[in-house]
Amino acid sequence: MADLNALTIADARDMLRAGEVTSKELTEACLRASEAASVLNAVVHPTPDLALSQAAEADKRLATGDAPDLCGIPLGIKDLFCTKGIPSQAASGILEGFRPEYESTVTAQLFNAGAVMTGKLNMDEFAMGSSNETSVYGNVTNPWRRSNDDTALTPGGSSGGSAAAVAADLCLGATGTDTGGSIRQPAAFAGITGIKPTYGRVSRWGIIAFASSLDQAGPMTKSVRDAAIMLEAMCGHDPKDSTSADLPVPNFESMLTGDIKGKTIGIPKEYRMDGMPDEIEALWAEGRAMLEDAGARIVDISLPHTKYALPAYYVVAPAEASSNLARYDGVRYGHRAKLAQGDGITEMYEKTRAEGFGDEVKRRVMIGTYVLSAGFYDAYYNRARRVRALIKKDFEDVFSAGVDAILTPATPSAAFALEQEFDDPVQMYLNDIFTVTVNLAGLPGVAVPAGLDLSGLPLGLQLIGKPWEEGELLNFAHVLEERAGFVAKPTKWW
Amino acid sequence: MLDLTYETPKPKVIAGATGDWELVIGLEVHAQVASKAKLFSGASTQFGAEPNSNVAFVDAAMPGMLPVINEFCVAQAVRTGLGLQAEINLVSAFDRKNYFYPDLPQGYQISQLYHPIVGEGEVLVSMAPGVARKVRIERIHLEQDAGKSIHDMDPHMSFVDLNRTGVALMEIVSRPDIRGPEEAAAYVVKLRQILRYLGTCDGNMQNGNLRADVNVSVCRPGDYEKYQETQDFSHLGTRCEIKNMNSMRFIQQAIEYEARRQIAILEDGGAIDQETRLYDPDKGETRSMRSKEEAHDYRYFPCPDLLPLEIEQAWVDDIEASLPELPDAKLVRFVADYGMTEYDAGVLTADVESAAYFEEVARGRDGKLAANWVINELFGRLKKEDHDITESPVTAAQLGQIIDLISADTISGKIAKDVFEITYTTGRDPEEVVENEGMKQVTDTGAIEAAVDQVIADNPAQVEKAKENPKLAGWFVGQVMKATGGKANPKAVNQLVAQKLGL
């Protein structure tokens, strides 16, 4: 039998129900794997005691024969989620020592379904970053390495800890959040599946905010089926989040029929970029062929405002972040700077925030403050809002013309070396080029591993779906997954 | 409906060294919404609670916490809008006003800059019988209150109380239609009266539940009329905003001071800086709080945590159907139904409790007599002890009994005042007091006649004088009243004295 921690959620579920394994055994396997993988720096707050007590509860529930899909399944939780009594600091120094008195809606739902939390996972500070290098805990290292060298690679970001933990079998699945690609890019870099649901599908209550109109949580898993299972448990209307949609949650797993005959897949010409690596181009073409082979109709489409998406995103997201992060002032919780004699409130703010925030967060707070300032608001923020509306309309137009989903590359490259882009914010921001449009339009998007590049690193494809059609979208992803037959795992070196 | 027509009051004119000046005033009134829970959290709004005890996670801006709009507060704002005959916006939206302060945990106040829930309305401000100013309301928006910073409890530290943080406020913004300090105060009084009728704000200014920012500018006679014709603000002077006024008296003093300050600067050839000022009631002056350079850049933008607020016309209609009779309508009705003066009607309708009390007293009785007793006796007595109508020890039913006793000639008006005083201090029913204290009026002419005869017999010298000077009859009446303990029917005594003296 394979290592228990390497199981998919679906297989583990079946074995738990069949009594072939206990949650305790699964949990212990994951805890052991996590301990042995400290060099990856994916788990930043292990919670073994909580995990074992949750596992014991889950085993009791399983014994009654009436347990939800996730009962007894060990999961990792991104540090952005507030978990009651457990450090939750968005990988930021400013939330040093912060243990919430409340449980986020998503983790509460997962725990109610019997899931086990093995620990809090690393990420970019406040989810701002594409390489997991902005974390106060230090970077995460991708379990994948190139076949021909030992260069330490980024797992992507911001959900880099989640991607690495799932790819390295430290847990069976993990939560991520996605503001501009923070689930899909790391999923692609780590050879796993990650879905960002439709904005409003998953409650944001208790998730530390980055950019409220773009943030959405989703699962990061070893298979599309696992994503379907986990997403269902995370979704649902939450009256505590005014932007949460009051819609029924379908059984996503049951929608993975593999039948996509007669469906229409759009290939947007604007996603074919200058200087795009041939491997990405080739993978995209293969994905297109796979879906066509499965009976889908492929059409070339245009999303004309795509080129404005990245600049608009880097106005809207920092603007919201500058306001969302104003609360970290040292007054009520988290870090407060030591003050000198005679320092007043202004010095307290300045010193606390200077010490507590990392450079990338400061950069975005400054950008956001600037674009909202009197005299610049119309030129930047309002313009970006208009661009956003146009991007949304681009998608609405193709969907209303009969397109069921859109296929694009997930990232412009495979995982890159740590430190390679860290000092070049603009290059770093370009990582989001294929993913930000989806956040700006509030649509569901899924990254599926579809092949390896020449150096043996995973590459992902992205499918973009219609609003609230995560089930159908996952079915397309499922077809791609099956046809691509992606089974590669990183070679264990840690 | 009967309508009263009004003349427009004259604007306040201040004579300067270079000619006359007029005042132009606009107010932003912050009214705390009467609601048990805050605008975006379920925390209590109870006044005077232990510091930091009415604080939900979202009020303290804990990470990941989200605001959820309180429907009742929205209904209260709509109700207020309807009470001010204002346009209700079925779609409104919330914005964030960003600034750092320890009593503002989020680092932003959620407000409605771009799309307020209530649009244009108006308030009629009565200045004297037949004279009233129509003040246009520009908008009403919902917003969060901030907490309280306390700087005087410790020499080295400041304290923060978040109980008030997130409490719902309505900011009621007027057009610059107010033309003098008295009008400004009268406008706040009128607004407060309407809000209290509607039950949307308790109007308690001492607790800070109603406070005003006052915008003041000065212009030359004729300029305001040009502004009115064109709505072009360039005809008006540069304004200064006096923040956070919570007393009618200070509002008037501050405006008066501020206008004279501006006039002095202008007459010296200077220019007014648009700025925010504070009124110091001890010194009786306003002083600059922030100059233009120090002005905050609030970086308003739509609050991404809240979807646009959409309400339905049917819901608004339901609220409209539940509105009480408002002060203007009640005043007109009191004048028409009870034949009282506009002044008396104004006094009786000043608050809804007084009006209700009066109407209970007046039901089935002489309205004018009832108005007299409520205004002169009851209000006068209450005022002496600084009580309001809700604290009246005399019930409306008891005051009604007194009026009935007068009307039935059971007691005289003078005795009635004694009965009122007994009821006021003891709570005893007037009927019982009159019965048991032997205060019934003597109408038996035989008894009165005997008393008259006795007085005449005892004072022969006075009788002679009275025959010379009939005015002295009053002295005899007084003596008889004294002899009968005030219970003799004064009319009967008058008649008998005149008759017996042969006048």
Side-chain angles (χ1 to χ4, degrees), chain A residues 82 98 101-102 204-207 212 239-240 242 323-324 326-328 332-333 345 349 369 372-374 377 381 385, chain B residues 57 60-68 96 98 100-102 105-106 108 114 297 299-302 304-307:
Chain A
C82 287
F98 177 63
E101 294 288 323
Y102 44 89
R204 293 184 296 113
W205 193 87
I207 300 174
S212 313
K240 292 187 288 189
S242 307
S323 174
N324 282 336
R327 65 187 56 201
Y328 307 108
R332 297 167 311 285
Y333 47 77
I345 186 68
Y349 288 148
T369 303
L372 290 175
S373 305
Y377 181 82
Y381 186 78
R385 282 227 297 174
Chain B
F57 289 132
M62 301 305 281
M65 294 297 95
L66 298 172
V68 176
R96 289 185 185 176
N98 296 282
F100 283 95
Y101 208 65
Q106 294 170 137
Y108 51 84
Y114 297 110
D297 180 351
R299 291 171 284 122
Y300 277 100
F301 77 106
D305 285 330
L306 294 160
L307 299 173

Side-chain angles (χ1 to χ4, degrees), chain A residues 139-451:
Chain A
N139 67 271
V140 177
T141 303
N142 196 330
W144 289 85
R145 284 176 169 181
R146 294 181 190 123
S147 50
N148 48 356
D149 70 65
D150 288 349
T151 309
L153 303 178
T154 175
S158 66
S159 309
S162 303
V166 173
D169 294 327
L170 312 187
C171 50
L172 273 54
T175 61
T177 63
D178 190 318
T179 305
S182 280
I183 286 176
R184 291 158 290 159
Q185 183 250 23
F189 279 10
I192 64 167
T193 299
I195 177 167
K196 181 204 89 78
T198 314
Y199 184 80
R201 213 13 145 176
V202 175
S203 169
R204 293 184 296 113
W205 193 87
I207 300 174
I208 298 170
F210 162 15
S212 313
S213 75
L214 300 161
D215 296 344
Q216 198 55 195
M220 300 176 72
T221 56
K222 299 174 191 180
S223 73
V224 172
R225 181 171 300 279
D226 284 6
I229 294 168
M230 204 172 146
L231 178 61
E232 189 179 329
M234 293 171 75
C235 285
H237 177 236
D238 180 6
K240 292 187 288 189
D241 174 0
S242 307
T243 61
S244 158
D246 192 1
L247 289 173
V249 178
N251 181 336
F252 295 123
E253 191 185 4
S254 73
M255 298 169 83
L256 306 179
T257 60
D259 179 9
I260 60 164
K261 281 191 198 71
K263 295 288 182 184
T264 303
I265 303 292
I267 310 287
K269 67 172 187 218
E270 291 80 7
Y271 284 60
R272 187 160 287 113
M273 290 175 15
D274 287 344
M276 191 155 81
D278 293 344
E279 289 161 306
I280 302 285
E281 184 88 44
L283 182 81
W284 193 9
E286 280 167 36
R288 173 187 177 134
M290 290 175 210
L291 292 170
E292 193 161 27
D293 201 41
R297 194 167 69 93
I298 309 294
V299 294
D300 288 319
I301 58 168
S302 172
L303 298 166
H305 297 92
T306 301
K307 67 176 170 227
Y308 305 113
L310 203 61
Y313 172 83
Y314 276 97
V315 169
V316 172
E320 292 183 14
S322 70
S323 174
N324 282 336
L325 270 57
R327 65 187 56 201
Y328 307 108
D329 55 7
V331 174
R332 297 167 311 285
Y333 47 77
H335 179 72
R336 181 192 287 182
K338 285 208 171 50
L339 300 181
Q341 196 67 37
D343 279 354
I345 186 68
T346 306
E347 289 78 15
M348 181 170 121
Y349 288 148
E350 287 174 358
K351 291 184 178 179
T352 296
R353 290 166 69 83
E355 291 172 11
F357 289 138
D359 287 349
E360 184 59 28
V361 170
K362 287 178 194 162
R363 182 178 295 127
R364 298 204 196 187
V365 167
M366 284 190 281
I367 293 171
T369 303
Y370 179 80
V371 299
L372 290 175
S373 305
F376 300 104
Y377 181 82
D378 280 325
Y380 291 103
Y381 186 78
N382 257 346
R383 225 161 157 197
R385 282 227 297 174
R386 285 199 297 275
V387 167
R388 191 173 180 179
L390 291 170
I391 285 167
K392 196 162 180 231
K393 189 169 179 301
D394 281 355
F395 283 107
E396 284 165 2
D397 288 348
V398 298
F399 288 136
S400 66
V403 168
D404 296 298
I406 295 159
L407 181 73
T408 76
T411 56
S413 73
F416 48 89
L418 286 163
E419 294 177 34
Q420 181 182 312
E421 294 178 5
F422 191 60
D423 294 327
D424 186 349
V426 173
Q427 192 60 39
M428 191 69 92
Y429 296 168
L430 283 170
N431 270 284
D432 300 331
I433 192 109
F434 298 132
T435 46
V436 287
T437 51
V438 175
N439 300 80
L440 288 170
L443 299 172
V446 60
V448 195

Side-chain angles (χ1 to χ4, degrees), chain B residues 181-449:
Chain B
E182 299 78 17
E183 283 185 29
Y187 166 76
V188 177
V189 168
K190 183 59 180 280
L191 208 52
R192 181 175 179 275
Q193 178 192 28
I194 294 171
L195 295 173
R196 286 173 53 84
Y197 264 67
L198 292 165
T200 56
C201 171
D202 71 12
N204 187 328
M205 296 183 81
Q206 272 172 350
N207 292 356
N209 296 354
L210 191 78
R211 36 196 211 266
D213 299 340
V214 185
N215 286 285
V216 182
S217 67
V218 295
C219 65
R220 292 292 191 182
D223 288 346
Y224 186 80
E225 287 68 26
K226 286 184 205 151
Y227 154 72
Q228 270 192 317
E229 276 163 34
T230 58
Q231 293 298 307
D232 179 354
F233 286 103
S234 68
H235 294 294
L236 302 179
T238 303
R239 67 175 195 270
C240 288
E241 182 180 20
I242 312 165
K243 280 273 184 203
N244 238 350
M245 308 289 299
N246 66 349
S247 130
M248 311 292 182
R249 193 157 56 91
F250 294 161
I251 288 175
Q252 295 186 60
Q253 292 171 356
I255 292 171
E256 185 86 31
Y257 175 87
E258 179 59 20
R260 289 182 189 278
R261 184 188 73 89
Q262 293 182 13
I263 291 167
I265 291 172
L266 293 170
E267 293 198 329
D268 267 2
I272 305 301
D273 289 332
Q274 187 174 329
E275 61 180 1
T276 306
R277 300 180 69 83
L278 275 182
Y279 180 65
D280 180 342
D282 296 331
K283 293 190 177 144
E285 60 185 36
T286 65
R287 59 164 182 268
S288 181
M289 189 176 156
R290 305 189 267 275
S291 67
K292 216 187 236 169
E293 293 74 42
E294 293 163 319
H296 292 300
D297 180 351
Y298 291 120
R299 291 171 284 122
Y300 277 100
F301 77 106
C303 180
D305 285 330
L306 294 160
L307 299 173
L309 178 60
E310 292 179 30
I311 55 177
E312 283 172 18
Q313 187 58 49
W315 188 69
V316 175
D317 293 343
D318 284 349
I319 294 172
E320 186 153 31
S322 76
L323 290 189
E325 182 184 35
L326 290 168
D328 290 346
K330 205 182 275 288
L331 181 140
V332 168
R333 184 169 62 80
F334 277 20
V335 170
D337 288 6
Y338 300 107
M340 66 177 75
T341 61
E342 191 194 327
Y343 179 83
D344 281 355
V347 172
L348 289 172
T349 57
D351 58 79
V352 75
E353 292 85 3
S354 298
Y357 187 103
F358 163 74
E359 290 215 85
E360 195 182 332
V361 174
R363 191 174 306 128
R365 302 191 177 97
D366 177 348
K368 274 191 200 164
L369 190 56
N372 251 329
W373 270 87
V374 172
I375 295 171
N376 298 323
E377 300 309 320
L378 180 66
F379 287 180
R381 188 70 177 78
L382 287 169
K383 201 169 176 187
K384 229 185 254 173
E385 300 191 15
D386 207 19
H387 285 161
D388 70 31
I389 187 71
T390 59
E391 297 162 310
S392 170
V394 179
T395 66
Q398 288 173 328
L399 192 57
Q401 275 180 22
I402 293 176
I403 290 166
D404 288 344
L405 290 164
I406 299 168
S407 303
D409 269 345
T410 310
I411 54 174
S412 66
K414 186 169 177 300
I415 291 287
K417 290 181 186 181
D418 297 338
V419 175
F420 173 82
E421 185 57 29
I422 292 170
T423 300
Y424 192 97
T425 48
T426 65
R428 287 165 63 191
D429 270 347
E431 280 169 5
E432 179 269 324
V433 170
V434 168
E435 190 63 47
N436 290 330
E437 305 297 327
M439 297 169 92
K440 271 194 187 161
Q441 189 157 254
V442 179
T443 44
D444 170 5
T445 42
I448 298 172
E449 197 172 349

